[in-house]
Structures are given as structure tokens and as C-alpha cells.
Amino acid sequence: MTLRIKPTDRGIAQAADLLSSGALVAFGTETVYGLGADARNAAAVAAIFEAKGRPHFNPLICHYGSVEAAFAHVEAGPVAERLADSFWPGPLTMVLRRRVTCPVALLAGAGLETLAVRVPAHGDAQRLLAAFGGPVAAPSANRSGGISPTLVSHVLAGLDGRIAAVLDSGPCRVGVESTVVDLSGSAPFLLRPGGVNLEALEACIGPVGRGVELAAALASRTLRSPGMLLSHYAPALPLRINVVSVTADEALLAFGRPLPGARLVFQLSEARNLNEAAAKFFEGLHWLDSQAPLHGLTRLAAMPVPETGLGLAINDRLGRASRVG
Ligand code: TXA
Ligand code: MG
């Protein structure tokens, strides 16, 4: 049985003690729930891969309580400093070269010379990181390939009994994962659109490379983000995206006025607000996936979402969720 811990002072101390003992603790962040372990403890990190069923070549993000703590483990240049000033604590992850003295288990970084680091903004995550006092490796708290969790119930649906505890921090405010930017090469490169808009990133540091087709990326450079390869966020039911009409067997993920004829609808944002849609996005996928069969529906369909602001992250997740294999 997985303990469900309230984020009181006592609860935070208990969660930090569990981390210190090498146990796995899921915790809320502003993006999605993370599945945390002491990043310096190789056995604890290995247990994350085990609990998630995650391939070992896919590296984890390390979470820190402060910019100083994060940059003590990686080589941060002026661009990283500027991004940290603007976006930390917050939904941004930077991939940087590990310092030789970095104590994070190599397994956490899947053996790469780089490490993904982030300082989350969520109050409970900050309190947990402060109480624990070390780096916490944490992927999203779902089984590998599944839909990311934005509620405690999502975490427990996938991992109950497989992890020691979950810190109950309520719903996640941003709702999509952090933006991942690679600063280890000659120019900044967007590995995953997420909670920090590309527009805001570029306003801060200038042009950020992106959108290279995976095949071209693989041909021209070493594989920079192993997770990009995987099918992700997959609901159990097949998903069609950018739909302009629904068929009789489809449940609808709506953005704005729902398409006519849908018998089961999850509304991301009636007012077509992208921040609201991002916050509800994974909840919508979880909900439709579980409810559609009860209504005799066998497929999911998603209305188009504009490719601006958080729409970039939503469309990235929709694209992966709709891909088979
Ligand atoms: O918002 C988030 O980022 C959440 C919360 C819990 O912080 N975490 C999260 O972790 O989404 P995860 O493991 O689901 O996604 C991390 C992504 C993966 O695609 C992984 O391949 C990539 O970051 N990544 C991690 N370390 C990397 C590295 N050293 N180089 C390139 N990509 C890396
Ligand atoms: Mg994930």
C-alpha cells in the first residue's frame, strides 16, 4: 500500500525521511506529479526505473531547492544564468554538462555527460526539497508511456503499491511538463515544449533551435533527448487529433465550442484559453479514457489547438498520444 501524506510540516518531514531512506515518494509540482528518489542513491534511482517500467536509456530530471544547489552540480554559463534568473523556480528544465564533482548517480542521467536540472516553483515541492536537503531525481509519476498525472488519483491509478508514498498537493497548476532546453551544445535547443512558452524563452535568450525532424536530428547529431524517441502519454483508446467532425464511436476532447454529435465531451477551455487548457489537458485524457468505454465509445478525438503559447506543449503531447508504437 502506498501512503498518502498530507503536506503538513509533519507530512513533509516524513516524506523527506522516506527519501533519505532510499524510498520512492511521489510529490506535486506546478507541472505534473513527479516520482522522487534521492538522486545520489543509485539503488533508489534504479527503483524509479523499476516502478515505472522505464527504459534505462531514458534519463531523469534532477530537482533542486535553489539555483545555487542546481548549478553546483552542472556547468552553467551566462545563458543558463539568465534563464535561471527569469524562470526559476518554475517549469523550465536545463540540460547542462555535469561537473566532475557531481554526486548524482550516473544511472539518473542514463550515463550521459549531461544532466537535466530544474528548480520547481510549487510550495510543497520546495518545502520537500528544503527538508530533504539534496537532489531529487523525478520523472513524471506515471507508468512509462502512460498519461502524466496531474492529480493524486492519477498517481495512485498507475503506481499504488509500487511506491512508498505520495504527497497530496492537490491539482497541478500548469498541467503540462516543464520545457526542456539543451544548453550543452553550441546553441540552445528545445528538446521538449512545456510550461515555459517558447516565445518567453526566446525573448530572454534569443533564438532557440527546435523542430528538427527526429530522423534528421538522429542523422546529424548524437541523440540528445532519448525520451523524444518514445511513444508517450498514450491513452488506452486510439486518439485522432485535429478533428473537424466526430464519428459515432468517438469521445471528444473539446477546445472551444464542442463539435456537434459528440456523446461524451471533456472541455479543455470553453473560452479557448490555452493556460486553462494545459492545466486540464492530462485530466481530460485520463477522464475520457476511463469514461468512454462506459458509454460504448471506442475511440478518442481531439479538436485543433493553436500552435502558440502553451498550445505548443499541448500539441506536442497530443501528437505523441495519437501515435501508435
Ligand atoms: O515537469 C516536468 O519536467 C516533470 C516534473 C516531475 O518535474 N518531470 C518530467 O520528467 O516530465 P520525465 O522523466 O517524464 O521527462 C523528462 C524528459 C525526458 O524526455 C528525458 O528524455 C529528458 O527529459 N531528459 C532528461 N535528462 C536529459 C538529458 N541529460 N539530456 C537530454 N534529455 C534529457
Ligand atoms: Mg514523463
Side-chain angles (χ1 to χ4, degrees):
M1 260 286 285
T2 295
L3 270 177
R4 190 166 170 156
I5 301 177
K6 289 255 174 284
T8 57
D9 287 348
R10 224 175 116 211
I12 296 282
Q14 186 186 9
D17 285 347
L18 282 167
L19 286 175
S20 300
S21 75
L24 302 186
V25 179
F27 61 100
T29 80
E30 69 278 22
T31 57
V32 301
Y33 274 79
L35 176 54
D38 181 347
R40 300 158 300 192
N41 179 337
V45 171
I48 291 182
F49 286 92
E50 178 68 30
K52 279 187 61 107
R54 180 171 172 119
H56 285 83
F57 61 77
N58 193 7
L60 309 177
I61 297 173
C62 260
H63 297 69
Y64 294 85
S66 69
V67 178
E68 297 70 39
F71 286 174
H73 288 180
V74 289
E75 312 267 2
V79 175
E81 298 274 2
R82 210 171 320 144
L83 286 175
D85 278 350
S86 297
F87 300 110
W88 277 356
L92 177 72
T93 295
M94 300 189 221
V95 172
L96 293 159
R97 294 194 157 272
R98 290 170 71 112
R99 289 184 193 264
V100 280
T101 52
C102 177
V104 169
L106 281 171
L107 179 60
L112 299 174
E113 286 170 10
T114 55
L115 188 66
V117 294
R118 155 158 133 85
V119 178
H122 194 292
D124 294 342
Q126 292 222 334
R127 286 161 68 216
L128 179 62
L129 288 163
F132 174 62
V136 172
S140 50
N142 50 279
R143 298 300 302 271
S144 186
I147 303 169
S148 295
T150 55
L151 296 171
V152 165
S153 59
H154 299 160
V155 175
L156 291 173
L159 297 171
D160 196 8
R162 306 179 72 91
I163 62 177
V166 56
L167 193 62
D168 185 348
S169 303
C172 300
R173 178 174 56 81
V174 177
V176 288
E177 295 89 341
S178 60
T179 299
V180 181
V181 61
D182 185 353
L183 300 175
S184 68
S186 52
F189 188 85
L190 183 73
L191 293 177
R192 178 177 74 183
V196 168
N197 293 337
L198 183 60
E199 294 90 330
L201 266 191
E202 294 196 321
C204 179
I205 57 169
V208 173
R210 66 171 274 241
V212 186
E213 283 301 316
L214 196 54
L218 285 171
S220 66
R221 61 177 80 230
T222 52
L223 183 55
R224 292 176 91 171
S225 194
M228 291 201 316
L229 271 179
L230 305 171
S231 146
H232 260 113
Y233 318 109
L237 299 178
L239 168 71
R240 212 159 56 87
I241 59 177
N242 292 320
V243 303
V244 289
S245 64
V246 284
T247 58
D249 57 350
E250 283 176 336
L252 182 69
L253 190 65
F255 181 71
R257 185 204 299 228
L259 293 168
R263 284 198 286 132
L264 184 68
V265 176
F266 185 94
Q267 179 58 264
L268 288 175
S269 172
E270 185 87 60
R272 297 174 55 85
N273 177 306
L274 287 166
N275 294 353
E276 184 190 4
K280 289 199 196 151
F281 176 68
F282 286 125
E283 188 188 345
L285 280 185
H286 278 282
W287 189 82
L288 287 175
D289 212 21
S290 64
Q291 296 300 306
L294 309 179
H295 296 256
L297 302 172
T298 52
R299 301 193 297 154
L300 310 182
M303 289 172 64
V305 172
E307 190 71 356
T308 56
L310 288 190
L312 203 62
I314 296 173
N315 282 320
D316 171 76
R317 309 305 187 264
L318 278 173
R320 290 164 196 264
S322 67
R323 242 170 269 146
V324 187

